[in-house]
Amino acid sequence: MQGQNHTVVYLSEQVIILISCALSFMGSSLVILTYIIWPDLRTTPRKLLVYLSVSDWLSAVSYAFGVWKVFKTDSVECIVQGAISTFANTSSFFWTVAIAVYLYVFIVRSSQRLADRLVLMFHLVSWGIPLVITVAAVSLKKIGYDASEVSVGWCWVRIHAHDRFLWMLLTGKIWEFLAYITLPVLYILIKRHIHIAHDALSEYRPILANRPLSQSFSSMADMKLTLIPIVFIILRIWSTVRFILLLADSPVRQNPVLVTLHGIGNTLQGAANCIMFVLFTQPIRTRLCTTLCHCSKCRAEVQQSHDVTHKLLPGQDTSKQREEDGTSRAQTDR
């Protein structure tokens, strides 16, 4: 098996995945910037989203470096890149589940105090466990060149490590499998609770329930709760498929389409979160549009002022121009 281990990464795959990394980088940055710029939007769920975006930002940068380099050996750069991507990717799993747990406790259990108390534990788990696993893997020389067998150019668990499958589970796959189970269950319970509460409110407050704006917000929230686990699974499933194919020693894992989908799925999470929680969130979307329009208006005013200045002759100031304009108008009136 080890003698045949090598997945070719084509230039077209590199370009597509680098574009995916760039989108995720920009999406994660936008989530973080909106949180910094507008203090009134700094709710606890959005703060957790920022921590997730930091992980996705690190993932996008480290994966982009790996895809650009397409490592061939266990170099220092390979090990560093593999360590950063392992930490960031594993942390992203934990923060994704942490957000779901927070929303479940806050909405279903109706306990904001308990939910807020969990934030410290989320930090300890979502940063601490990935850090311990990554440090242990690097110390035991388990991170390195993996021949793109369960990656796309970047480094992960060394393909020649005799216990590579165990470390593949510890450094990502086991947490990925748990997220596949945990996220749908939690969001289904949240959706069920919201629907039951909405039906109860509708019985006593039919006017509010029938308002178009209320329905719009409700449908948007319902759509997000549906999309979060679905998008996560759709993006991540391709790496899981390749991992299973590696266990089965199937050559299908080297299929270019599957490799490309794996690369996109692993690197696009930051962009997907930005779309769902920034572009699909009306208050933030409205503020972004207002800010962009204001910037466009300012640029137009600056350009107009710049054009007027260039219309003046060399050595002719504005006051002189106004005097000449007044003289011209006086002569015309005569």
Side-chain angles (χ1 to χ4, degrees), residues 38 78 97 131 147 153 160 219 278:
W38 294 306
C78 169
V97 175
L131 182 60
H160 295 302
S219 62
V278 174

Tab-separated table of all heavy atoms in Angstrom, residues 38 78 97 131 147 153 160 219 278:
chain	number	residue	atom	x	y	z
A	38	TRP	N	-18.973	47.391	14.795
A	38	TRP	CA	-20.277	47.729	15.381
A	38	TRP	C	-20.428	47.071	16.749
A	38	TRP	O	-20.813	45.894	16.856
A	38	TRP	CB	-21.402	47.292	14.442
A	38	TRP	CG	-21.389	48.058	13.156
A	38	TRP	CD1	-21.408	49.402	13.000
A	38	TRP	CD2	-21.319	47.510	11.829
A	38	TRP	NE1	-21.370	49.740	11.665
A	38	TRP	CE2	-21.319	48.601	10.919
A	38	TRP	CE3	-21.272	46.220	11.308
A	38	TRP	CZ2	-21.265	48.432	9.540
A	38	TRP	CZ3	-21.219	46.043	9.935
A	38	TRP	CH2	-21.220	47.137	9.065
A	78	CYS	N	6.654	22.123	5.814
A	78	CYS	CA	5.566	21.145	5.769
A	78	CYS	C	5.039	20.866	7.171
A	78	CYS	O	3.824	20.859	7.401
A	78	CYS	CB	6.059	19.857	5.111
A	78	CYS	SG	4.934	18.450	5.254
A	97	VAL	N	-19.534	23.140	16.981
A	97	VAL	CA	-20.407	22.429	17.911
A	97	VAL	C	-20.733	23.300	19.126
A	97	VAL	O	-21.860	23.277	19.637
A	97	VAL	CB	-19.754	21.100	18.345
A	97	VAL	CG1	-20.600	20.414	19.418
A	97	VAL	CG2	-19.576	20.170	17.150
A	131	LEU	N	-4.890	22.151	20.771
A	131	LEU	CA	-3.491	22.502	21.048
A	131	LEU	C	-2.733	21.303	21.619
A	131	LEU	O	-1.608	21.003	21.186
A	131	LEU	CB	-3.427	23.675	22.026
A	131	LEU	CG	-2.020	24.186	22.380
A	131	LEU	CD1	-1.296	24.674	21.125
A	131	LEU	CD2	-2.100	25.289	23.428
A	147	ALA	N	1.489	12.755	1.198
A	147	ALA	CA	1.317	12.396	-0.223
A	147	ALA	C	-0.069	12.749	-0.755
A	147	ALA	O	-0.533	12.171	-1.735
A	147	ALA	CB	1.594	10.904	-0.434
A	153	GLY	N	-2.407	18.614	-1.284
A	153	GLY	CA	-1.173	19.390	-1.334
A	153	GLY	C	-0.612	19.750	0.012
A	153	GLY	O	0.603	19.870	0.179
A	160	HIS	N	3.788	7.584	6.242
A	160	HIS	CA	4.589	6.409	6.570
A	160	HIS	C	4.585	6.084	8.065
A	160	HIS	O	5.262	5.140	8.477
A	160	HIS	CB	6.033	6.598	6.087
A	160	HIS	CG	6.145	6.696	4.597
A	160	HIS	ND1	5.709	5.704	3.754
A	160	HIS	CD2	6.631	7.682	3.799
A	160	HIS	CE1	5.927	6.058	2.492
A	160	HIS	NE2	6.481	7.261	2.501
A	219	SER	N	-38.888	33.019	9.079
A	219	SER	CA	-38.481	32.109	8.007
A	219	SER	C	-36.970	32.163	7.784
A	219	SER	O	-36.339	31.142	7.493
A	219	SER	CB	-39.208	32.454	6.704
A	219	SER	OG	-38.879	33.765	6.279
A	278	VAL	N	-23.592	36.893	7.916
A	278	VAL	CA	-23.375	38.304	7.597
A	278	VAL	C	-24.287	38.726	6.449
A	278	VAL	O	-25.131	39.602	6.600
A	278	VAL	CB	-21.897	38.587	7.245
A	278	VAL	CG1	-21.720	40.033	6.784
A	278	VAL	CG2	-21.007	38.331	8.454
